[in-house]
Structure formats: structure tokens, C-alpha cells
Amino acid sequence: METKNDKTVEEKNITTDKKQSRKNFLRNTGAALLSGGFLASMGFPFQSKANDLGAPTNTDPASTSIFSLPKVNRVAADPTDIPAPIKRRSSKTHNITLESKEVVAEIEDGVKFKYLTYGGQVPGPMLRVRRGDTIILNHKNLTDNTMIHNVDFHACYGPGGAADATICPPGQSKKVKFKAMYPGAYIYHCAVPRMDYHISSGMYGMILVEPEEGLPEVDHEFYFGQNEIYTDKAAGTKGLHGFDTERMKAEDPTYVVLNGEKYAITGNRHGALTVKKGDTARVYLVTGGPNVTSNFHPIGNVFTKAWREGAIASEPERYVQTCQVPPGSCGIFEMDFPVPGPVKMVDHALTRVAKKGMLGIINVEGAKEADIFDPDIT
């Protein structure tokens, strides 16, 4: 067990970096030896005894890196807190700041975990642009953080999806400019050498590139993210959970969650969503993974339209019951709500719902429609 006076090799490097230039920091920490070329060329921190590049050398929850981080009451992104649909018919330039932020929060009541996030939420903020727009992205790695971070945009034509251009240690920032050349819903995520650990801990989000003509009007839009979390304690065990790299290698998650927490978007946690009978909704799902494919299904409903892989320029599939959204991808779905009652958004690998936390609820309010569904027939 470390004491508060102990530091991991990475933490010592980060402390030194705050006194040195980035060039000296990268020279002292060395280059990560990773297949694929560009990561090795970027000078990521390398520790020969570590089981995680881009992570502490151990997962002891008493690490000083845990105790020094801010504590927050919620990391689950509000599914309704997304940018409004785009009405303009001309291109523009967006100046967007995306903050890498490490925090401690609860996966479920009494179960604490060190999350790695963009903007302190899981999934990270939904970004919304139009095809042909230019994005000037400022990636800030906050001073209190303990690790190097970056951003890989699947919506970006460019080496590493801008990952190599946005990498920086704590206390620094990097800017990159790119044009949104193709429409659709695309993931962005951290892409340091241990990207699987960073993504599992919450570092992913969605950028929506609307087509030039925009999207049809709906009454609601909701934004969800699915990922799995691997911890060193059994699910539900009270206290601070460390990250378990061996469980991740075995692809045996402790939790599979919607918006970062167990049952986050339900009445038992942060509250269900609400719509009116007869409303329409567009649902966006980004699957961070890093390993598990979502089998996205609305219990008591179907997707009236579905764009797999977020390919909004394609013709939609109609009346889809369950749609796979693999790690590193997105889905766009439209739904009708003709009858009242709860619609449960789940992964239809149902053990993930019953045992691991993958559930969100949309409550439909309104009078009974007995011609469509009558639960009281005698």
C-alpha cells in the first residue's frame, strides 16, 4: 500500500514535466514502443515494469493520484444536454475546447472509481457541426490530471484522426484544425498507447456531422454512450475500486453501463427521461467499448428508422428491433411513442442489464390506447 508520500514513476515524471519544457519531458520519459508507427514516434511515457502505458504503474486505490483528484456527484451525461439541430445552409468555423478531466465518482451507490473523461462526463460532450464546417479544436489536459491524453476523431481526415496533433501532458493544451468532410455520427476517443484503459474509464464521445440539408424535425433528441468498466472488486462492493487490467484483457467487465454509471438514466439513479404519447425522438448511441458490442434494443418499442454506423447519408432501415453498434462506432435511431408506459433502452445481451447495469428508461406519458395495447383486458 502506498502512502501519500509515495509516487509512481509516472507521477514523478509528470511533476518534473511541470518544471520543464514539453521537449524535455518527452526526452526524459522516452518513447512508447507500440506497433503501428505513429504512437512510437510521439514519445509517450514508457515504463518497462508497468502493465499499462499511459496509466499508473499499479491500480492500488490508495494511490496519491486518486486522492488528489476532484470528487464529483455525477459523471453520467444528461441525455438531453446536446446542441440544437442545425438550421443554417452555409458553412462556418467552430472554436471548440475539449477538456480531459480525471475525476472520482460513483459507478453505483457506495462504489467509487477513478474516471477519465472529457468535460467531466461520460460520454463526453456531443459535438454538432455541418458537413463542410471547419473545427478548430483546443484539447486541454487539466493541470490536476495525472496522465497524458489526446483525442482521435473518426470524423477527421488526418493522421491518427488528430490524435498525434492533440497529445499533451497535464497542464498543457494543443490545437488542431480540420474540416468535417463527410456526414454521419462518429466517435471521438483518447488514443494514447493504453487507449483501451482510457476509453473503458470514460474517454469517448460523439461528433455529429449533419448533412448539408440538415435532419428532419423530431420532438426529442437523446444522447447515450455505452462502455464497460473493469474493476478490481466485485460489482457492488463498497469503497474505492481500482482498474483491473487483467479483467480487461480477458474481456470480463465488472460493469456494462449506459452513460457511465449503473442504471444512470432510471428513477433509481438520476431519473428517467420523459416524452408524451405521440411524440417522436431521435436517439444517438456511441459505443466506447473498448471490447463489447452493444445489442441496442428498446423494450416495448422498435426503431422506426435506423442508420447503422451512424451513416446518415444512407437510406435507413425500417422497424428494427435490435441493432448492433460495435466498439468505436455509433448508431442513429428514430422512434415513435404510440402508447404510454416505460420504454427500456438495453443491451439485449441481457446479463449486462440484470447484473452489470446497462439500462436506461424513457417514460411515455398519456392516456391508454386500447386499440394498440390494452393491459387490462378481461
Side-chain angles (χ1 to χ4, degrees), residues 45-89:
F46 176 71
Q47 299 157 343
S48 61
K49 295 182 180 180
N51 62 6
D52 241 352
L53 294 173
T57 53
N58 62 65
T59 56
D60 182 356
S63 167
T64 55
S65 64
I66 295 286
F67 285 117
S68 65
L69 293 174
K71 315 300 187 296
V72 299
N73 293 326
R74 172 176 178 163
V75 295
D78 179 348
T80 67
D81 185 17
I82 59 178
I86 294 173
K87 302 297 184 183
R88 59 185 162 80
R89 292 296 178 261

Side-chain angles (χ1 to χ4, degrees), residues 252-257 262 351-358:
D252 177 25
T254 315
Y255 296 93
V256 181
V257 292
K262 183 176 182 178
T351 297
R352 299 173 190 170
V353 179
K355 306 297 184 184
K356 297 181 183 290
M358 176 57 205

Side-chain angles (χ1 to χ4, degrees), residues 127-337:
L127 310 179
R128 192 168 199 154
V129 301
R130 179 182 178 272
R131 186 182 190 186
D133 285 356
T134 296
I135 297 95
I136 299 176
L137 189 282
N138 180 26
H139 171 232
K140 295 180 66 176
N141 193 347
L142 297 183
T143 302
D144 289 341
N145 291 343
T146 64
M147 302 178 197
I148 286 178
H149 299 295
N150 65 358
V151 196
D152 171 355
F153 284 91
H154 287 200
C156 172
Y157 278 127
D164 47 354
T166 56
I167 185 167
C168 51
Q172 296 191 21
S173 62
K174 293 292 291 293
K175 283 188 177 181
V176 66
K177 181 177 78 170
F178 66 93
K179 180 174 282 191
M181 300 285 285
Y182 37 91
Y186 300 95
I187 192 173
Y188 65 82
H189 61 85
C190 193
V192 297
R194 287 303 291 167
M195 63 186 75
D196 48 358
Y197 161 57
H198 286 230
I199 294 169
S200 174
S201 299
M203 295 200 82
Y204 70 98
M206 177 189 290
I207 178 169
L208 174 66
V209 182
E210 290 197 18
E212 291 96 327
E213 66 273 17
L215 297 175
E217 283 193 20
V218 291
D219 296 306
H220 306 274
E221 291 189 314
F222 301 128
Y223 172 46
F224 295 113
Q226 177 175 329
N227 65 283
E228 63 266 21
I229 305 175
Y230 302 86
T231 77
D232 60 0
K233 294 181 175 65
T237 303
K238 304 299 184 184
L240 187 59
H241 287 222
F243 190 85
D244 193 325
T245 301
E246 294 306 311
R247 288 195 72 159
M248 182 173 66
K249 289 178 182 178
E251 300 186 9
D252 177 25
T254 315
Y255 296 93
V256 181
V257 292
L258 195 68
N259 288 32
E261 302 175 28
K262 183 176 182 178
Y263 304 146
I265 313 302
T266 73
N268 292 329
R269 193 86 181 141
H270 301 301
L273 301 170
T274 302
V275 300
K276 300 291 186 183
K277 185 186 69 176
D279 284 354
T280 57
R282 186 175 296 118
V283 176
Y284 302 95
L285 176 72
V286 53
T287 303
N291 300 312
V292 168
T293 292
S294 177
N295 308 283
F296 202 43
H297 169 69
I299 296 176
N301 208 304
V302 295
F303 300 125
T304 55
K305 297 178 183 178
W307 291 267
R308 294 178 192 267
E309 305 294 333
I312 197 68
S314 304
E315 288 297 317
E317 298 174 82
R318 301 300 305 273
Y319 304 107
V320 178
Q321 59 187 318
T322 301
C323 194
Q324 287 194 323
V325 184
S329 192
C330 302
I332 302 175
F333 312 96
E334 289 185 7
M335 300 174 65
D336 298 333
F337 302 100

